[in-house]
Amino acid sequence: MKGYTIAALSLAASNVSAHYIFQQLTVGSTKNAVLKYIRANSNFNQPVTDLTSTDLRCNVGANGATTETLAVKAGDKFTFDLDTPVYHQGPVSIYMSKAPGTAASYDGSGAWFKIYDWGPTFSGGSSSWTLEGSYSFAIPACIPNGDYLLRIQSLAIHNPWPAGIPQFYVSCAQITVTGGGSATPGPTALIPGAFKATDPGYTVNIYSNFNNYTVPGPAVWSCGSAGSNPVTTTSVATTPATTSSTTKPATTSAQALTSTTLSTSTRAATTSAASCSVAKYGQCGGSGFTGCTSCASGSTCNKTNEYYSQCL
Ligand SMILES: [Cu+2]
C-alpha cells in the first residue's frame, strides 16, 4: 500500500537523522575513526528507554567482537565526540567496568563505577545543562591495570515523566589500561539496575520548580587527592558549557563563553496558520526537523539550540 511505503521511508529517514550518538574516542592527540574503539550499535542514533534492558549497558546491538580495543595509560585524558551535539536537557555521566577477560568479550554484566557527572547548574531561578559536541575526562590514575569498558551516557529528561519517558543515549569504548594502581573503585552498580523509575533524577519535571537535582546511578568515585583528574571540556555546541558541582578543576573553551543559556527563549517564527499541533514538551523545530512546528495552545515553541526546539 502506497501510504505505508511512504510512512516507512519517512520513519527510516528520521531514524538516521534524529537524535545523537557518541561515536568517536580521542585519547592524546589522536581522534580515532568513527566506531573504531566504540561499540557500534544497530539502532542508528536512537535512545534506549527500557530500564530493565541489557541494552542500557552499551546500546542496542553493541558488539565487542567487531570493535578494537585501545591501549591507554591510567591518567590519560580521553574525549567522546558525537555526531550531533547533545541537545536534550539532562545529565551526562561516565562509567567504567573492569572486564574479567578481554574488553572485546565482556558483556558488561559486572560491576560499574561512575567517574564523572555533568549535572545542571542553577542560577537566578533558572537551570542550564552541559550540552556539548564532545565530553572529556581522564582515566583515573589509581585503577588497576586491565581491560575495561568505558561508558558514556546522556540521560535525556526533556519530556517529563510520566507523560514522557527519559531516554538513555549510551556508548561503550573498549580500552586496556596500563600504568595504574591498586584502588578498589566504588560504590558500584549493575546495569540494568542502576537506574530506577523511582529515582528523583529520572522522574523530575525540569520545567516546574526545578531547583535541585541528583544525577541517577551510583555516587561518583575518584582516586582522591593523590590521583585527581583534570577536567577539560571543549565544545562546538551552541549551548552553555557549565561545570559540575565537584571540586575538580574545569576549563571551558572560549567558544562556549559566547553561547546563550538554555533559559533564553526564542520564539520560533510562524509564517502560516498550521493545521497540526505538537503537544507540550514535544519537538517543534531544529536542524533537519521536518515535522509540525505549531505548538498546542498553552505552549509555545522555544529554541534549545540549532538542533532542537521544544513546545514549552
Ligand atoms: Cu532525541
Side-chain angles (χ1 to χ4, degrees), residues 89-276:
Q89 296 98 316
V92 175
S93 304
I94 307 263
Y95 287 79
M96 295 183 74
S97 182
K98 193 168 190 306
T102 65
S105 62
Y106 181 39
D107 64 1
S109 59
W112 291 86
F113 57 98
K114 184 160 68 173
I115 60 173
Y116 202 69
D117 278 330
W118 286 268
T121 298
F122 298 97
S123 175
S126 65
S127 60
S128 63
W129 299 89
T130 307
L131 306 183
E132 307 285 358
S134 64
Y135 291 83
S136 297
F137 198 61
I139 304 295
C142 62
I143 60 171
N145 293 342
D147 276 20
Y148 288 82
L149 292 178
L150 179 64
R151 175 182 180 274
I152 187 163
Q153 166 184 296
S154 159
L155 172 56
I157 50 175
H158 58 298
N159 294 324
W161 176 267
I165 295 183
Q167 304 170 342
F168 292 81
Y169 295 85
V170 294
S171 286
C172 293
Q174 297 177 182
I175 59 173
T176 301
V177 176
T178 58
S182 57
T184 304
T188 63
L190 299 178
I191 301 175
F195 317 106
K196 300 177 185 64
T198 52
D199 289 340
Y202 181 90
T203 59
V204 67
N205 184 331
I206 61 173
Y207 310 107
S208 175
N209 295 318
F210 183 52
N211 48 36
N212 66 77
Y213 186 77
T214 301
V215 180
V220 170
W221 172 83
S222 72
C223 296
S225 56
S228 62
N229 300 311
V231 181
T232 305
T233 303
T234 57
S235 174
V236 294
T238 56
T239 46
T242 56
T243 55
S244 80
S245 59
T246 71
T247 56
K248 293 175 177 125
T251 59
T252 56
S253 72
Q255 272 177 301
L257 298 177
T258 63
S259 64
T260 56
T261 66
L262 286 177
S263 56
T264 303
S265 300
T266 305
R267 195 71 58 94
T270 306
T271 54
S272 61
S275 58
C276 59

Side-chain angles (χ1 to χ4, degrees), residues 19 87-88 167 169:
H19 311 289
Y87 56 82
H88 292 319
Q167 304 170 342
Y169 295 85

Side-chain angles (χ1 to χ4, degrees), residues 16 31 273:
V16 174
K31 184 174 182 177

Side-chain angles (χ1 to χ4, degrees), residues 48-118:
V48 178
T49 57
D50 182 352
L51 289 176
T52 66
S53 173
T54 54
D55 291 338
L56 272 180
R57 292 172 189 160
C58 295
N59 212 335
V60 179
N63 184 347
T66 57
T67 308
E68 295 183 47
T69 300
L70 181 63
V72 305
K73 292 207 162 40
D76 272 354
K77 178 190 165 187
F78 62 86
T79 300
F80 280 101
D81 287 285
L82 294 109
D83 59 340
T84 298
V86 171
Y87 56 82
H88 292 319
Q89 296 98 316
V92 175
S93 304
I94 307 263
Y95 287 79
M96 295 183 74
S97 182
K98 193 168 190 306
T102 65
S105 62
Y106 181 39
D107 64 1
S109 59
W112 291 86
F113 57 98
K114 184 160 68 173
I115 60 173
Y116 202 69
D117 278 330
W118 286 268

